[in-house]
Amino acid sequence: MPVTAHGHQPVVPQYGAAPLQDMAPLYGVREPAAASVASGVAFLAGVWLALAPFALDYAPAEQGFEGYWHDIVVGGTIGLLALVRSLAPSHVPWLSLVNVALGAWLVLSPVVLGYEPWPGSTTAAVNNIVVGGVVTAVALVSAWTTYRTRFEHRSHEGGR
């Protein structure tokens, strides 16, 4: 085989072989598909949460101010973190743990922020609890899948 200018032989898969499977050991840990899918669901939930004040017509004025801006900011944050996780699931698994915390916060936020009776407060509270539960669940799946894949990879390599 010819030697390249860098002093090594190029890696070429055998003809007819599945290139991604045969080349996977060369690139390290395989990207966990479940983590990408779960993070994609968290992304959609975050986008929904950011758009919910407009779609569900929360009160944007004096009444309901906490719920309105809270959902836009937290939804945007969840969406951004989940997008990064879905694009590179094996590189930043701790972002899913941040989304777990944000999801748990969403479940508790109507009580902690004291959503008082204002037009749309019940809708906002129910939306936060449902979206928070979904984000918590899928972010846990995303983090657990990635950390499990890393552990299995290390145990196959002999604990390096």
Side-chain angles (χ1 to χ4, degrees), residues 18-154:
L20 295 178
Q21 266 185 331
D22 291 343
M23 303 283 280
L26 299 173
Y27 297 108
V29 179
R30 197 180 76 193
E31 298 288 326
S36 290
V37 170
S39 293
V41 172
F43 170 75
L44 293 175
V47 169
W48 164 252
L49 185 66
L51 296 175
F54 308 105
L56 299 177
D57 197 28
Y58 296 9
E62 297 99 29
Q63 296 179 332
F65 184 75
E66 300 90 5
Y68 183 80
W69 286 107
H70 171 267
D71 287 0
I72 293 170
V73 171
V74 174
T77 303
I78 288 171
L80 181 64
L81 296 177
L83 180 63
V84 171
R85 273 290 288 150
S86 65
L87 295 175
S90 66
H91 299 294
V92 284
W94 59 271
L95 290 179
S96 285
L97 299 177
V98 173
N99 269 350
V100 169
L102 288 172
W105 164 251
L106 278 174
V107 171
L108 299 174
S109 66
V111 175
V112 174
L113 293 177
Y115 284 14
E116 299 195 17
W118 44 269
S121 64
T122 304
T123 305
V126 169
N127 186 56
N128 283 1
I129 292 168
V130 170
V131 171
V134 168
V135 168
T136 301
V138 296
L140 278 172
V141 167
S142 180
W144 178 78
T145 303
T146 301
Y147 284 120
R148 186 191 62 177
T149 303
R150 282 184 172 187
F151 176 76
E152 289 173 356
H153 181 70
R154 283 188 191 128

